[in-house]
C-alpha cells in the first residue's frame, strides 16, 4: 500500500492546519506552489505512518502469540524478547516523528502568512536634514610632498 494512503494519527491535524485532506495535500506538495513547511510536514507524516504501521504489526504479532487459544508449547521467550525490542524501536521512532511534526506545525508560519507577499516599507524622513558643509582638508587637491 502506498504510504500516502496509509492512515496516521497526524492526518486530522494536518487537515486542520493546511485546510485539505491528506491525499490533496500530497498532490499540492508535488506542485511548484507547495510551501517548504507543507513538504516537510508531509515527509514527516509519511515516516510517521510507516512507524505506526510497524507498531501495529508487532502489537498484533504479540497478541497473536499470547492468544488464549494458542498452544503453550509454541510460545517462545526469545521471540517475545525480539518483539519487545522491535516494539520499543518502533515506538521510539513513532514518538520522534510525532514530536518533530508537532514542532514543525507549531513553529511554521500560518497559511495566510505563507501566501502573503512580502511588503517592503520605505521609511520617510520626517525631520529635515541639516546640510553642513564639512571643511575640506588643508591639503585637499595638493600634490604630495616628499617626506625626508
Amino acid at each position: 500500500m502506498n504510504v500516502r494512503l496509509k492512515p496516521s494519527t497526524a492526518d486530522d491535524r494536518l487537515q486542520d492546519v493546511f485546510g485539505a485532506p491528506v491525499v490533496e495535500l500530497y498532490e499540492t506538495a508535488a506542485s511548484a506552489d507547495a510551501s517548504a513547511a507543507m513538504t516537510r510536514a508531509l515527509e514527516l507524516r509519511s515516516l510517521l505512518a510507516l512507524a505506526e504501521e510497524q507498531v501495529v504489526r508487532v502489537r498484533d504479532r504479540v497478541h497473536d502469540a499470547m492468544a488464549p487459544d494458542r498452544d503453550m508449547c509454541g510460545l517462545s521467550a526469545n521471540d517475545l524478547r525480539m518483539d519487545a525490542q522491535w516494539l520499543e524501536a518502533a515506538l521510539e521512532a513513532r514518538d520522534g516523528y510525532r514530536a518533530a511534526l508537532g514542532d514543525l506545525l507549531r513553529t511554521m508560519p500560518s497559511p495566510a502568512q505563507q501566501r502573503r507577499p512580502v511588503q517592503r516599507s520605505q521609511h520617510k524622513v520626517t525631520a529635515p536634514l541639516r546640510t553642513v558643509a564639512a571643511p575640506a582638508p588643508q591639503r585637499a587637491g595638493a600634490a604630495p610632498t616628499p617626506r625626508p
Side-chain angles (χ1 to χ4, degrees), residues 51-63:
E52 289 176 342
E53 179 185 22
Q54 292 302 309
V55 169
V56 169
R57 283 184 182 184
V58 176
R59 179 202 62 196
D60 291 349
R61 188 167 51 239
V62 170
H63 281 216

Side-chain angles (χ1 to χ4, degrees), residues 11-130:
D11 291 353
D12 290 339
R13 180 134 185 243
L14 288 168
Q15 184 171 342
D16 290 344
V17 169
F18 292 107
V22 170
V23 173
E24 290 178 26
L25 293 177
Y26 276 109
E27 291 170 7
T28 303
S31 73
D33 297 336
S35 70
M38 178 188 291
T39 303
R40 288 185 187 108
L42 290 174
E43 288 172 0
L44 285 169
R45 185 242 171 243
S46 294
L47 295 168
L48 175 62
L50 289 173
E52 289 176 342
E53 179 185 22
Q54 292 302 309
V55 169
V56 169
R57 283 184 182 184
V58 176
R59 179 202 62 196
D60 291 349
R61 188 167 51 239
V62 170
H63 281 216
D64 185 47
M66 302 299 288
D69 59 341
R70 291 283 298 219
D71 181 16
M72 292 295 282
C73 294
L75 194 58
S76 165
N78 285 334
D79 289 346
L80 290 174
R81 258 192 298 282
M82 181 62 92
D83 284 336
Q85 290 173 346
W86 189 264
L87 182 61
E88 185 178 353
L91 288 171
E92 284 179 21
R94 180 204 62 188
D95 294 346
Y97 293 132
R98 199 184 280 169
L101 183 57
D103 289 345
L104 175 67
L105 295 176
R106 226 180 354 272
T107 59
M108 69 178 213
S110 72
Q113 289 174 326
Q114 291 175 12
R115 287 187 216 118
R116 187 176 48 195
V118 176
Q119 295 178 356
R120 299 179 189 260
S121 61
Q122 293 184 348
H123 298 286
K124 295 180 180 178
V125 177
T126 56
L129 294 175
R130 292 186 300 162

